[in-house]
Amino acid sequence: MRRDQLGESERHLRQALEAAPGRVDAQLFLAECLLNKKNLDGAEQMLKAVQPGGPWAGTYAMLKHLHAELWAILGLALLEVQKFARAEEACRAALRIEPSNLMAKANLGSIQMAQGHLMEAERQIRLLLSEHPADANARLLLITCLARKGDLSLADQEIEKILQQEPDNFVVHKSLTGTYYTLGRWDDYRAEIARYRTVAPTSAYLDYEESFADLIFGDMRRGWQRFEARLDIQKE
């Protein structure tokens, strides 16, 4: 759905539901539209209205994954506004529909972490990784959790694993520099930037990242010069 057409999309979907109130495809697409509009209460209400049975059972079977995924997306949106109980409820709703839903499982770990329940967060994330050992986002989540717990040797082990799995992944690079920045591990921060330069040698983003270390350590001229690389990031 195009963001500039969300209002029109909502109007058409509501008209469809007025004509056929139990139409599950329209309910799900309307829920997606409301999520895109940041209307979390409306999206939640619409997702709860979806009934798998009845004359639309065949249609629902094709859209069951979407139903679960929308609950998981709602859970993430609720997490971002710190409505933790509702976020957890939304993720568990996703898992009741689709027990293997990866986003919902990852969100549950993030919800625990956001509330400072780091032991429970680690348990949930490790369970997720045991089921999806190649998933980079799950491993990054575990690294963040271990870093917050202060288990740096364990975090370093997971960093080594993810760099073996995903050496060229920009999201991995960005997450690792974020972890090193937060921990004040500046040698590792610079080393990760240098490592990723072998992947993307002309990336302006790397100069932008390195500018923060320069400024913190007092190299103001080079720091501000590199900081200006932010103007070139959009061009990449």
Side-chain angles (χ1 to χ4, degrees):
M1 296 181 187
R2 288 178 48 178
R3 291 193 175 277
D4 60 345
Q5 296 180 350
L6 291 175
E8 187 70 7
S9 296
E10 180 181 354
R11 186 176 68 81
H12 285 304
L13 289 166
R14 289 195 183 279
Q15 287 176 346
L17 285 171
E18 286 178 7
R23 188 174 155 182
V24 295
D25 57 345
Q27 289 172 323
L28 291 173
F29 295 144
L30 178 55
E32 183 177 18
C33 177
L34 294 172
L35 280 170
N36 285 323
K37 293 181 71 176
K38 308 300 183 185
N39 182 351
L40 305 187
D41 292 341
E44 184 175 19
Q45 182 180 4
M46 189 53 54
L47 289 172
K48 286 180 177 178
V50 176
Q51 297 296 324
W56 299 95
T59 303
Y60 178 78
M62 294 184 291
L63 295 171
K64 184 177 180 181
H65 171 72
L66 177 62
H67 192 191
E69 198 73 1
L70 290 174
W71 271 117
I73 293 169
L74 174 64
L76 181 59
L78 290 167
L79 166 62
E80 289 172 350
V81 295
Q82 299 186 353
K83 295 183 178 180
F84 301 124
R86 286 175 62 193
E88 182 172 350
E89 181 183 333
C91 292
R92 297 204 180 281
L95 292 170
R96 284 193 294 272
I97 297 165
E98 185 180 60
S100 63
N101 190 277
L102 183 60
M103 182 187 293
K105 291 180 180 181
N107 287 349
L108 287 174
S110 295
I111 291 164
Q112 294 298 327
M113 197 172 0
Q115 296 176 95
H117 305 155
L118 299 180
M119 293 294 290
E120 178 60 19
E122 182 183 352
R123 187 191 70 78
Q124 291 192 13
I125 298 165
R126 286 193 181 279
L127 178 60
L128 176 60
L129 266 175
S130 71
E131 298 170 351
H132 303 275
D135 188 79
N137 290 329
R139 198 167 300 280
L140 289 174
L141 201 58
L142 178 59
I143 291 166
T144 300
C145 183
L146 292 170
R148 290 187 184 181
K149 285 182 66 187
D151 292 340
L152 301 187
S153 61
L154 291 177
D156 285 340
Q157 291 175 26
E158 297 302 327
I159 289 171
E160 185 177 346
K161 290 177 186 176
I162 202 167
L163 287 178
Q164 290 174 352
Q165 289 179 334
E166 300 273 356
D168 299 344
N169 188 320
F170 177 71
V171 173
V172 168
H173 161 75
K174 192 174 178 181
S175 179
L176 295 183
T177 53
T179 297
Y180 291 140
Y181 183 97
T182 301
L183 295 172
R185 292 173 56 172
W186 298 110
D187 288 344
D188 292 323
Y189 181 86
R190 288 190 188 274
E192 171 54 25
I193 294 171
R195 183 199 71 80
Y196 201 75
R197 280 195 192 278
T198 65
V199 177
T202 62
S203 174
Y205 190 85
L206 300 178
D207 287 333
Y208 174 65
E209 284 182 320
E210 199 149 16
S211 72
F212 293 104
D214 291 334
L215 292 169
I216 284 171
F217 286 98
D219 192 340
M220 309 305 286
R221 183 186 63 80
R222 188 168 67 169
W224 286 118
Q225 184 179 30
R226 283 177 164 164
F227 185 75
E228 292 304 310
R230 75 192 191 282
L231 301 174
D232 298 320
I233 291 172
Q234 294 295 329
K235 302 174 186 177
E236 294 184 356

